[in-house]
Amino acid sequence: MNKINNLDKSDKKALGKFGEEAAAKFLSRRFYKIIAQNFRKRSFEIDIIAQKGKILCFIEVKTRSSDKFGTPKEAVDFKKQQKIILGAQEYLLQNDWDGEIRFDVAEVYAHKKNEKFYVDKINYIKNAFDNSF
């Protein structure tokens, strides 16, 4: 297994896209209904919006090859959380939703072999943060 080190900008972008797709598949297999991916407005983006029963989940996906520089969840700092919350508020203004909401983080660990990415594991963290400032 080759660890992903010193990726150039296009490789990092490809790794991020790979991680988001892997997380979406992971969620679908667990009966989440994917509502939107890469919901973008102004200065924010929500990687995945998914519904599980009566809960609407706003999911940030972080993809890494190791915990060498901290866990992926640790990269979802307060500033990033605020942007996700603003994005969720914008989504909710545009769409009719009367149920619960939740903010989750999907940690995707991956490696690259023969120019292709592979998932090592996915940690899914429900209620990773809340919408209180």
Side-chain angles (χ1 to χ4, degrees):
M1 174 174 43
N2 295 335
K3 291 293 181 185
I4 304 165
N5 295 319
N6 303 320
L7 294 177
D8 65 24
K9 192 173 184 177
S10 65
D11 271 348
K12 286 181 183 178
K13 190 171 185 173
L15 176 64
K17 184 166 179 50
F18 171 80
E20 289 175 11
E21 289 300 320
K25 288 176 187 173
F26 174 90
L27 292 165
S28 292
R29 287 191 306 265
R30 284 157 181 79
F31 306 105
Y32 283 76
K33 179 182 175 188
I34 305 300
I35 305 295
Q37 287 183 256
N38 299 310
F39 176 75
R40 288 186 173 98
K41 296 286 181 192
R42 291 177 271 159
S43 64
F44 57 78
E45 175 189 356
I46 298 174
D47 294 329
I48 299 172
I49 301 171
Q51 182 179 346
K52 176 80 174 202
K54 295 182 180 183
I55 302 172
L56 190 64
C57 305
F58 297 93
I59 304 154
E60 177 68 10
V61 179
K62 290 295 182 190
T63 308
R64 302 286 188 272
S65 62
S66 73
D67 286 341
K68 185 176 181 179
F69 298 106
T71 66
K73 181 185 178 290
E74 290 172 333
V76 186
D77 60 13
F78 182 73
K79 186 176 179 179
K80 181 68 175 172
Q81 291 174 17
Q82 287 180 314
K83 286 185 174 192
I84 295 166
I85 291 165
L86 289 172
Q89 290 171 341
E90 182 72 26
Y91 180 85
L92 293 168
L93 283 173
Q94 295 176 13
N95 297 275
D96 186 31
W97 181 256
D98 194 29
E100 295 178 48
I101 64 167
R102 190 173 76 204
F103 297 94
D104 300 347
V105 172
E107 296 181 316
V108 179
Y109 290 89
H111 70 277
K112 188 175 184 181
K113 183 176 180 181
N114 299 327
E115 299 304 312
K116 188 173 178 185
F117 295 114
Y118 297 89
V119 173
D120 294 321
K121 69 178 177 175
I122 296 177
N123 293 331
Y124 191 72
I125 305 161
K126 296 177 183 177
N127 290 310
F129 58 94
D130 63 32
N131 62 348
S132 61
F133 289 122

